[in-house]
Amino acid sequence: MLRALIIGASGYAGAELANYLSHHPEIEIAGLVVSENSADKNKLLSNNDLYPQLKGKVDLPLIGSSDYSTLGHNIDIVFLATDHAVSHDIAPYFLQKGCVVLDLSGAYRVNQAEFYTSYYHFTHQQLYWLSQAVYGLAEWNAEKIKQAQLIAVPGCYPTAAQLALKPLLTEKLLNTNYWPVINAISGVSGAGRKANLKNSFCEISLQAYGLFSHRHQPEIAAHLGQDIIFTPHLASFKRGIYETITCQVNQGITRDDILTVFNNYYAHKPLVRVYSEGYPALKSVIGLPYCDIGFELDQQHLILIAVEDNLLKGAAAQAVQCMNIRFGFNETLSLL
């Protein structure tokens, strides 16, 4: 059994990680950790105030600590479901201890120090580990993930966008002079669990935010190798990502060409489902670890639809998928 630690376990993604790992036959949860100042410390994760749906499944206490040397020995895997500033600082501690670290924040997603200066507004201090980090887009980087010690799990918006666009760009079906336009809608859980009036269910109305300034835009562009226009929206539903992506294909490309490319890339990728007709809806993926992709073509105008659960394929499920790949397990173990 491999021993895994989850730091940031009381957040939405952290709780989903705990749920998946609780029934993983190769993993023992060594500890669930929160900040020493957290109001949740010493509570069970399955407490009525937290995640009562986990009663009988994950009845483990939340350890409030910032002294990671006290969290036990023989830790093999560390999941960081933490803010990027926290992940930036603590990932090296566990990496130096020989742990495999899966970071769900943005702290190590792009191997360029200037990216963090420009878009996260801080100077990255861990340049060695930044250079070593492998981007955990599981369907595309499996060979690198198998060798990685630090896996930077992609953001929820970038996962859906890249899974939809990468096959078409790789096979040169798209006119790259026409920047793909990504209109993306997220449920409120994407903003995290901390109380905030702006995220109160009664306050939320469908609204765009972060125009030309959202951090996921350069993450998507960097890993696609393609300029894009990305507009995120917050909507009044709990969870899910719904992306409508408008592109232009090269002259002569047909609907069958597009479907063939998707099937060639994803026929043996169990967590990506391609629709041969019709379009996916959020209800297709909520509570499930899939990204579903549909499309429609009219002359050279292509519209892609990509949907996922932001807490699962957009966070916890992809992290577990990467862990499975890294340690040679079936990549869907405990996910399906």
Side-chain angles (χ1 to χ4, degrees):
M1 296 283 282
L2 297 171
R3 288 168 51 81
L5 202 64
I6 302 173
I7 300 179
S10 65
Y12 294 133
E16 296 288 358
L17 281 169
N19 182 36
Y20 280 135
L21 297 184
S22 70
H23 57 265
H24 196 295
E26 303 291 344
I27 301 296
E28 174 190 355
I29 298 177
L32 303 177
V33 184
V34 295
S35 165
E36 60 188 351
N37 299 317
S38 172
D40 298 325
K41 69 179 180 182
N42 300 324
K43 295 179 181 178
L44 297 183
L45 185 65
S46 57
N47 185 285
N48 284 345
D49 295 334
L50 292 169
Y51 302 97
Q53 67 269 33
L54 296 179
K55 286 185 185 295
K57 295 184 68 178
V58 194
D59 297 315
L60 295 174
L62 294 165
I63 304 164
S65 178
S66 297
D67 181 1
Y68 303 113
S69 66
T70 66
L71 298 178
H73 303 286
N74 301 318
I75 304 297
D76 301 293
I77 306 164
V78 178
F79 291 90
L80 300 179
T82 47
D83 179 78
H84 68 272
V86 176
S87 292
H88 170 272
D89 291 344
I90 67 176
Y93 172 84
F94 292 104
L95 292 163
Q96 289 160 10
K97 295 288 185 182
C99 302
V100 170
V101 174
L102 295 107
D103 178 24
L104 280 70
S105 84
Y108 294 91
R109 286 178 183 155
V110 177
N111 304 111
Q112 302 166 10
E114 59 272 19
F115 171 86
Y116 294 91
T117 305
S118 299
Y119 297 105
Y120 281 77
H121 308 298
F122 77 96
T123 301
H124 210 293
Q125 301 295 321
Q126 307 296 340
L127 299 186
Y128 172 75
W129 290 114
L130 184 62
S131 71
Q132 298 299 303
V134 169
Y135 192 60
L137 191 65
E139 283 74 18
W140 285 83
N141 289 340
E143 292 306 311
K144 291 182 178 179
I145 289 168
K146 289 176 183 178
Q147 307 299 322
Q149 189 182 357
L150 172 57
I151 299 168
V153 180
C156 51
Y157 284 132
T159 294
Q162 291 177 82
L163 289 175
L165 286 166
K166 265 184 170 292
L168 307 180
L169 287 167
T170 302
E171 295 301 322
K172 303 187 186 307
L173 269 61
L174 297 187
N175 176 359
T176 55
N177 294 319
Y178 182 99
W179 294 6
V181 177
I182 304 167
N183 288 304
I185 304 171
S186 174
V188 71
S189 59
R193 188 170 166 266
K194 277 188 179 178
N196 185 324
L197 183 61
K198 290 182 179 179
N199 299 334
S200 169
F201 195 80
C202 292
E203 298 293 328
I204 293 170
S205 176
L206 179 60
Q207 184 175 5
Y209 67 99
L211 276 66
F212 296 115
S213 63
H214 196 282
R215 292 166 178 168
H216 282 161
Q217 182 275 331
E219 178 185 339
I220 297 168
H223 288 287
L224 284 178
Q226 167 65 45
D227 288 318
I228 58 162
I229 295 174
F230 172 69
T231 305
H233 302 73
L234 182 64
S236 55
F237 53 86
K238 287 184 179 180
R239 54 198 293 171
I241 297 286
Y242 192 100
E243 298 190 358
T244 302
I245 306 170
T246 306
C247 323
Q248 186 177 94
V249 299
N250 288 319
Q251 190 75 36
I253 299 299
T254 68
R255 193 179 194 285
D256 285 344
D257 294 331
I258 294 166
L259 185 59
T260 297
V261 165
F262 276 131
N263 286 335
N264 286 345
Y265 276 87
Y266 294 136
H268 302 292
K269 303 296 184 182
L271 297 184
V272 177
R273 303 186 297 192
V274 176
Y275 287 46
S276 59
E277 56 184 34
Y279 323 120
L282 278 181
K283 66 181 181 180
S284 309
V285 294
I286 297 305
L288 298 170
Y290 300 108
C291 178
D292 285 6
I293 300 170
F295 67 94
E296 195 57 78
L297 179 68
D298 183 3
Q299 299 180 62
Q300 286 183 256
H301 301 291
L302 173 65
I303 297 176
L304 300 163
I305 304 293
V307 300
E308 69 186 10
D309 188 316
N310 57 298
L311 300 178
L312 300 184
K313 185 58 174 166
Q318 184 153 230
V320 173
Q321 184 183 8
C322 287
M323 179 199 72
N324 285 335
I325 292 169
R326 170 61 177 78
F327 289 96
F329 307 138
N330 184 305
E331 69 179 272
T332 63
L333 190 60
S334 88
L335 299 176
L336 298 177

